[in-house]
Amino acid sequence: MGIKPTEKPIFMIGAERSGTTLVMALLGSHSRIAVPEVVWYYPRFQPYLHTYGDLSNEDNFRTLAAEMVFGLKTPFWGMKVNPRTIVDEVIELAPERSFAGIYAGMHMRFAQSVNKPRWGEKTPHNLFFVGPMHNDFPDAQFIYITRDGRDASVDYMESSFGPTNIYMASNSWKRCWNAVKEWREPLREKGLWFDIKYEELVRNPEKVIRETCEFLGEKFEVGMFDFYKSDLAKARGATRDHKPLGHAISDKYVGIHKELLSLRDQRIFAAKAGKELVEAGYELDVEPLVLTDELKEKYREFDGRIRAATLDGFEGHIVYESYNDWLIEQREERRKK
């Protein structure tokens, strides 16, 4: 059956570095829509729910709830809470004894904290879980943000957490594009899917956001464009990887691959994800490079080595990944028992 809140949930998805955070900040600045920081609940928990046992068992349900509540990268999404009671509060709000129930309860708790009736959520890689999400929340509306894969890739490579070479970055963008193909049209026909192109958003923001609000059934509010004044945007904008969120919408990040990618790297992208780039509506203007198996393996191995070595570097994700490691250890302990 799934959970059907009175107000439809909103899920913002897309390949990383495609403008998903910008859309999150814009919609979170609407007077009726509460959007917390990135969650990563579906990638972190949904594939491993079997390790928690029967969630109708109160102890099992509470274990899952506690690991979700305390596992946010931004503790409690900045809410002022009592750590001793917050799990009980979320469980009380959960509409059912399930992962989706806790997920809904947590977002309802955040919406209450900012006094808004409707909640939304942005995790880029939720795009790999559209099926389970639609099953859990049958009325939820999905917004997919697409950006030129070459720009997204070079931005990803420049970040503190992304792929470290163009082959792996283009592979990630390609996987994201292909992951939602089967869902785009079926959900669009139900009025549950809306596509935003990053380039159109930053060049004509009012038109795109008006259309987005119409899709969501919400009234357009010009105050949404003051998103960069919000606490979320200020915090993000103070970091190297999210500086654009600290100021008004700009189109100066369109076409950055022309300056920051070598011709060879552009040809590698074309070889790996050129077909998908054209499908997404972008022009392919270089000849694809022939990639040998040896070169592909080199890119894969070096990417893994460099990522591991830089986890604790400047704005690295060592704390974030250490929580994932802890979750794995907890699940292994339960398996042994």
Side-chain angles (χ1 to χ4, degrees):
M1 289 293 291
I3 298 172
K4 296 185 177 182
T6 304
E7 302 273 359
K8 295 179 180 179
I10 306 164
F11 295 127
M12 292 146 272
I13 57 177
E16 291 194 85
R17 315 308 291 177
S18 292
T20 54
T21 305
L22 173 58
V23 174
M24 170 182 76
L26 282 161
L27 293 186
S29 296
H30 193 283
S31 63
R32 282 180 32 83
I33 304 172
V35 185
E37 256 293 2
V38 183
V39 183
W40 292 97
Y41 277 164
Y42 272 88
R44 275 183 164 182
F45 292 97
Q46 203 274 342
Y48 309 101
L49 293 180
H50 63 281
T51 70
Y52 294 90
D54 183 359
L55 293 180
S56 64
N57 177 294
E58 191 64 24
D59 288 340
N60 295 342
F61 185 67
R62 179 171 287 274
T63 295
L64 176 60
E67 291 185 4
M68 290 173 68
V69 169
F70 285 95
L72 296 169
K73 186 180 177 186
T74 302
F76 311 120
W77 289 323
M79 295 186 291
K80 294 181 179 180
V81 304
N82 183 339
R84 292 181 64 87
T85 63
I86 182 60
V87 174
D88 291 323
E89 294 172 30
V90 171
I91 286 177
E92 185 175 347
L93 288 170
E96 64 179 36
R97 288 300 191 259
S98 69
F99 163 75
I102 301 171
Y103 186 98
M106 191 65 181
H107 285 82
M108 290 165 64
R109 177 66 176 81
F110 178 79
Q112 287 180 358
S113 74
V114 293
N115 196 29
K116 295 184 180 182
R118 188 176 187 183
W119 58 265
E121 194 264 291
K122 170 253 173 175
T123 295
H125 283 185
N126 276 350
L127 58 86
F128 294 110
F129 298 89
V130 173
M133 295 175 80
H134 179 53
N135 184 65
D136 290 341
F137 300 97
D139 292 336
Q141 293 178 286
F142 292 82
I143 298 174
Y144 189 93
I145 301 94
T146 303
R147 183 185 183 188
D148 186 318
R150 296 161 297 189
D151 286 348
S153 290
V154 72
D155 217 345
Y156 214 179
M157 291 159 58
E158 291 281 307
S159 72
S160 302
F161 55 86
T164 58
N165 60 63
I166 189 59
Y167 178 80
M168 296 305 294
S170 58
N171 182 62
S172 177
W173 187 87
K174 173 180 179 174
R175 289 182 64 230
C176 291
W177 174 259
N178 287 328
V180 302
K181 276 186 177 179
E182 64 179 301
W183 294 104
R184 182 173 266 111
E185 290 309 317
L187 292 181
R188 196 196 308 277
E189 290 175 2
K190 295 181 180 180
L192 302 178
W193 187 278
F194 186 73
D195 281 296
I196 291 178
K197 253 191 176 174
Y198 170 81
E199 293 79 10
E200 294 175 2
L201 171 60
V202 297
R203 285 170 172 159
N204 198 344
E206 183 169 332
K207 176 180 180 294
V208 173
I209 294 303
R210 281 187 180 277
E211 291 171 349
T212 304
C213 287
E214 182 178 353
F215 162 72
L216 296 174
E218 298 289 352
K219 182 179 178 181
F220 168 76
E221 297 176 356
V222 70
M224 297 167 71
F225 294 119
D226 286 332
F227 68 88
Y228 59 93
K229 300 176 183 178
S230 68
D231 291 340
L232 182 151
K234 287 178 180 178
R236 288 281 194 130
T239 66
R240 181 188 65 175
D241 291 336
H242 295 283
K243 283 191 183 301
L245 215 62
H247 56 70
I249 294 176
S250 169
D251 65 357
K252 69 179 182 180
Y253 305 104
V254 174
I256 58 174
H257 73 275
K258 296 176 183 178
E259 178 182 352
L260 298 177
L261 283 185
S262 68
L263 177 59
R264 183 173 185 265
D265 278 358
Q266 291 180 49
R267 293 183 66 198
I268 291 173
F269 183 96
K272 186 62 183 176
K275 174 176 172 288
E276 288 74 17
L277 187 73
V278 173
E279 287 178 359
Y282 299 92
E283 183 180 350
L284 194 62
D285 52 5
V286 298
E287 284 294 319
L289 186 72
V290 176
L291 302 175
T292 64
D293 290 340
E294 183 180 18
L295 185 61
K296 295 176 186 176
E297 183 56 34
K298 173 191 171 183
Y299 279 132
R300 281 192 288 265
E301 180 177 347
F302 275 48
D303 181 61
R305 288 175 178 269
I306 295 171
R307 286 210 209 196
T310 56
L311 271 176
D312 60 349
F314 179 69
E315 293 186 2
H317 280 207
I318 189 69
V319 173
Y320 175 79
E321 295 300 344
S322 68
Y323 182 77
N324 287 336
D325 292 341
W326 181 80
L327 285 176
I328 293 170
E329 292 169 0
Q330 296 298 104
R331 291 161 185 160
E332 178 61 16
E333 286 301 311
R334 288 195 293 273
R335 187 191 67 79
K336 288 179 180 178
K337 289 179 181 179

